[in-house]
Amino acid sequence: MPVINVEDMTDLDKAKMEVTQLKTEVKLERAKVSKCCEEITEYIQSGADEDPLVKGIPEEKNPFKEKGGCVIC
């Protein structure tokens, strides 16, 4: 898709471009935020048992655990 420099366009071209965008947006299916939030909350809570950020990583499976302590002499 070519890059369009809006500063070089006439006011009529800008208005046509805006109308085209608005026609595209009006066709989008909309959902209520409250319903979407409920669905997202249910999805997150359904996977919380397997989520390592919530449950934590067992020490034996943690690839980032420190191999040894730091000793200052």
Side-chain angles (χ1 to χ4, degrees):
M1 193 170 208
V3 177
I4 300 171
N5 191 358
V6 179
E7 285 111 19
D8 296 339
M9 297 175 69
T10 64
D11 288 339
L12 181 63
D13 288 335
K14 289 178 188 176
K16 286 180 181 179
M17 199 167 133
E18 186 174 358
V19 168
T20 303
Q21 180 64 32
L22 290 172
K23 285 180 180 179
T24 303
E25 289 178 14
V26 82
K27 294 176 188 174
L28 294 175
E29 182 181 339
R30 298 176 184 256
K32 291 188 176 188
V33 173
S34 57
K35 186 172 185 328
C36 293
C37 289
E38 289 174 5
E39 292 174 0
I40 290 171
T41 303
E42 289 173 10
Y43 174 77
I44 291 170
Q45 289 176 347
S46 70
D49 294 338
E50 298 90 33
D51 191 339
L53 296 175
V54 175
K55 189 177 178 182
I57 301 172
E59 284 295 320
E60 62 272 358
K61 293 183 179 179
N62 186 354
F64 301 106
K65 74 175 182 181
E66 292 188 26
K67 308 250 186 295
C70 177
V71 178
I72 300 176
C73 297

